[in-house]
Amino acid sequence: QKEVEQDPGPLSVPEGAIVSLNCTYSNSAFQYFMWYRQYSRKGPELLMYTYSSGNKEDGRFTAQVDKSSKYISLFIRDSQPSDSATYLCASTRSNFGNEKLTFGTGTRLTIIP
Amino acid sequence: GAVVSQHPSRVICKSGTSVKIECRSLDFQATTMFWYRQFPKQSLMLMATSNEGSKATYEQGVEKDKFLINHASLTLSTLTVTSAHPEDSSFYICSARPGTGSTDTQYFGPGTRLTVL
């Protein structure tokens, strides 16, 4: 079993819709959770970064972590064609020193104009 | 802030040659840098963790003699793919974490696409 599971999609939604992207994880020691956006042939770009359970909002993006169910979500409101990309969730035990990130497989998202 | 660059962005080489990829943190000092490989439509796979001034730590299954990593300064790490073969063709991405004792996350470079003919 992978430590971080993510539906690879692809996921297509019309412009303006709310997008829900999800991951599950199995390692109870994970404390930090990130969402990265990766455009084709580019490196990942950090979108959201949360510690432990709870919600975090940044503009049209909301990250949600439920440690009791080991569930990570990213919501995109008022989706735009420019949001079309691959979204990667990642988790780590500690964001200190050499601690590595464990990534999900990524979900390919297309926003249809 | 937190900009990471990679050079070159794209390289094509013949089988058997060696290729060096540079990763630089432009506006912060990075004690720790990470090297990833990403095959088409797959996620990032960590290859090794590099600390300034010490030997890199390689993930299981990654040949340390084939993928040479040097982290000579707090802003530069290099990955050399030695005796490259077509199966080494991939997208190589580095990331950097700011400073010692930092709880900040990793920031990624734009990636280097390696094609081995």
Side-chain angles (χ1 to χ4, degrees), chain B residues 94-113:
Chain B
C94 72
S95 71
R97 174 173 287 151
T100 55
S102 170
T103 56
D104 209 346
T105 189
Q106 298 177 31
Y107 296 91
F108 286 81
T112 296
R113 185 160 301 281

Side-chain angles (χ1 to χ4, degrees), chain A residues 38 49 95 97-98 100 104, chain B residues 38 43 51 59 97 102-103 106:
Chain A
Q38 186 177 23
Y49 165 34
N95 223 14
N98 292 352
K100 63 183 183 182
Chain B
Q38 187 177 35
S43 191
N51 287 306
E59 294 298 299
R97 174 173 287 151
S102 170
T103 56
Q106 298 177 31

Side-chain angles (χ1 to χ4, degrees), chain B residues 50-66:
Chain B
S50 146
N51 287 306
E52 184 263 339
S54 62
K55 290 184 179 180
T57 302
Y58 290 82
E59 294 298 299
Q60 192 173 11
V62 177
E63 299 174 60
K64 62 180 181 180
D65 294 331
K66 181 171 182 63

